[in-house]
Amino acid sequence: MSFDQHLDLHNPYPGIDLAASMAIDRAVAVLNEGGLVAVPTETVYGLAADADNRSAVLKTFEAKGRPTNHPLIVHVTGLDTASCWVKRLTEAAIDLADAFWPGPLTMVLPRSSRCRDFVTGGQDTVAVRAPAHPWIRDLLLRFEGSDGHALTAPSANSFGRISPTCAKHVADDLGVKPAGKVDMILDGGVCEVGLESTIVNLAGPRPEILRHGAITRAMLEDVLGCPVPDAGSDAPRVPGTLKSHYAPRTATEIVEGGTAGLERRIGELGHERLAVLAPDALELEAPNVVLAIDAPLEPAAFAHVLYMALHRLDRAGATRILIARPGTGPAWAAVNDRLGRAAAERKA
Ligand code: TXA
Ligand code: MG
């Protein structure tokens, strides 16, 4: 009898190859032991920990250098598991999940007793999301069991830095133990969306947007049949809304006025080394441009490359990053929100 006959090469994850499914197996084991795994999602890479395990969750704050009173998103496969973590699923939550889960939408709801202070930063609400990337979905399916286990996962970057949209970003920033801070990185390729999820607060008297993302205001309003305004200044705490969040280390400026505006600004900054993200940037002929990256013209395509581009622009040895304003209006809300933060004065 040959040994091969005993090897079960059946792939338990449809659409996922054997190497990936073995890596996902290892990730489940690491998480069950209270470790930290950087996981691919369709938005950005997350730093996953067992949401029931206090010491594991606290390690994510330590790895990121993030204050422990900042709440985390609980990642689930869908409404069944979400219902273990929230007090009650409202009609709005069910409708939005039906429309956008799995996908880049996070909903804030009153928390259940299972959801502890170390997850919510002491708040009585919890943020839940069912991510769509097939690897984290499979990981969650394997991890949740019959009693609704779930994963906390902030973006897998050091606090205040640009979110990672590929495994290399995580390796360069947090790194893998023993030299780095995470137990394992699950490399599921480049994130499709490229910006963090939309966050909608459903815990108040009316739905409000806490963070813009790929699910736009119009999409939310279409499903809910009511206006979904931005949250006011009394909104629940969202550190992603600190002005300087998502910031490159290099001073960053958004340039208005299209190609003419950009060329003028490059001329004014003749004494500086510039890294530029703009449409047709490769055609710029200024000697002080040390790196030029072509910007896509569509909002989703721009969002997909933005953090990738910021990571590269930030490493170009430039004294300043210039980004041509790509567009305005509702379709650009998430992109312009992140651009505003990337360019904000770093005081926080
Ligand atoms: O796309 C995403 O949402 C990614 C991927 C990994 O899923 N995650 C992510 O997590 O961006 P993080 O921790 O970097 O940002 C989550 C945001 C934070 O700004 C946090 O304040 C907010 O969600 N948040 C979490 N729980 C909340 C709550 N109960 N009330 C209000 N905001 C909350
Ligand atoms: Mg983040």
Side-chain angles (χ1 to χ4, degrees):
M1 185 168 64
S2 94
F3 180 73
D4 279 359
Q5 278 175 278
H6 294 286
L7 277 179
D8 179 9
L9 293 177
H10 169 71
N11 177 4
Y13 306 103
I16 290 182
D17 67 23
L18 189 63
S21 78
M22 288 168 71
I24 292 168
D25 276 347
R26 274 206 314 283
V28 171
V30 169
L31 291 163
N32 277 327
E33 284 161 17
L36 299 183
V37 180
V39 291
T41 87
E42 74 281 19
T43 58
V44 299
Y45 273 71
L47 185 57
D50 177 354
D52 287 301
N53 183 333
R54 182 173 193 276
S55 75
V57 172
L58 291 180
K59 278 192 253 170
T60 53
F61 290 99
E62 204 181 300
K64 280 178 67 77
R66 167 168 164 165
T68 50
N69 64 348
H70 286 192
L72 299 174
I73 297 173
V74 174
H75 292 69
V76 296
T77 50
L79 283 174
D80 276 357
T81 308
S83 67
C84 301
W85 295 87
V86 305
K87 200 181 211 166
R88 194 173 64 83
L89 285 169
T90 62
E91 205 178 310
I94 293 166
D95 289 348
L96 288 176
D98 282 347
F100 303 120
W101 276 10
L105 178 71
T106 297
M107 305 193 287
V108 173
L109 290 156
R111 67 169 166 174
S112 70
S113 55
R114 177 171 183 167
C115 188
R116 312 300 293 274
D117 280 349
F118 55 81
V119 170
T120 70
Q123 303 196 56
D124 52 12
T125 57
V126 61
V128 287
R129 167 164 119 81
H133 190 294
W135 289 31
I136 187 173
R137 252 188 100 60
D138 277 318
L139 175 68
L140 284 165
L141 277 172
R142 303 230 30 222
F143 187 74
E144 67 185 352
S146 55
D147 49 353
H149 286 287
L151 297 172
T152 51
S155 52
N157 54 292
S158 302
F159 182 61
R161 308 313 313 177
I162 307 162
S163 292
T165 54
C166 66
K168 185 170 187 303
H169 291 162
V170 185
D172 289 348
D173 177 1
L174 300 178
V176 181
K177 287 177 184 169
K181 296 174 177 163
V182 311
D183 293 288
M184 178 179 172
I185 300 175
L186 204 50
D187 184 352
V190 174
C191 302
E192 189 182 345
V193 174
L195 294 184
E196 299 84 351
S197 60
T198 304
I199 305 181
V200 59
N201 181 21
L202 299 176
R206 55 180 186 150
E208 296 172 327
I209 295 175
L210 295 174
R211 182 172 72 185
H212 286 272
I215 306 298
T216 63
R217 188 196 315 280
M219 292 160 81
L220 297 172
E221 291 180 342
D222 205 39
V223 169
L224 295 177
C226 67
V228 186
D230 288 349
S233 52
D234 56 345
R237 200 171 33 240
V238 183
T241 61
L242 286 179
K243 235 182 147 196
S244 67
H245 224 65
Y246 315 107
R249 287 169 212 271
T250 314
T252 300
E253 201 177 302
I254 313 305
V255 183
E256 312 287 345
T259 307
L262 184 66
E263 283 173 351
R264 190 175 333 115
R265 192 65 185 131
I266 291 172
E268 285 165 6
L269 296 168
H271 54 291
E272 291 203 28
R273 288 191 311 282
L274 304 174
V276 177
L277 174 66
D280 299 324
L282 301 180
E283 281 156 37
L284 290 169
E285 276 169 14
N288 55 333
V289 173
V290 295
L291 175 66
I293 301 180
D294 249 329
L297 300 174
E298 295 302 317
F302 191 97
H304 175 66
V305 302
L306 175 60
Y307 288 163
M308 194 74 69
L310 284 179
H311 278 276
R312 285 185 52 202
L313 295 164
D314 204 18
R315 282 170 174 69
T319 53
R320 195 183 297 247
I321 295 170
L322 297 185
I323 303 175
R325 171 79 64 200
T328 52
W332 289 95
V335 162
N336 280 324
D337 170 73
R338 302 311 191 280
L339 288 180
R341 294 176 205 293
E345 293 273 338
R346 278 183 279 299
K347 293 198 187 94

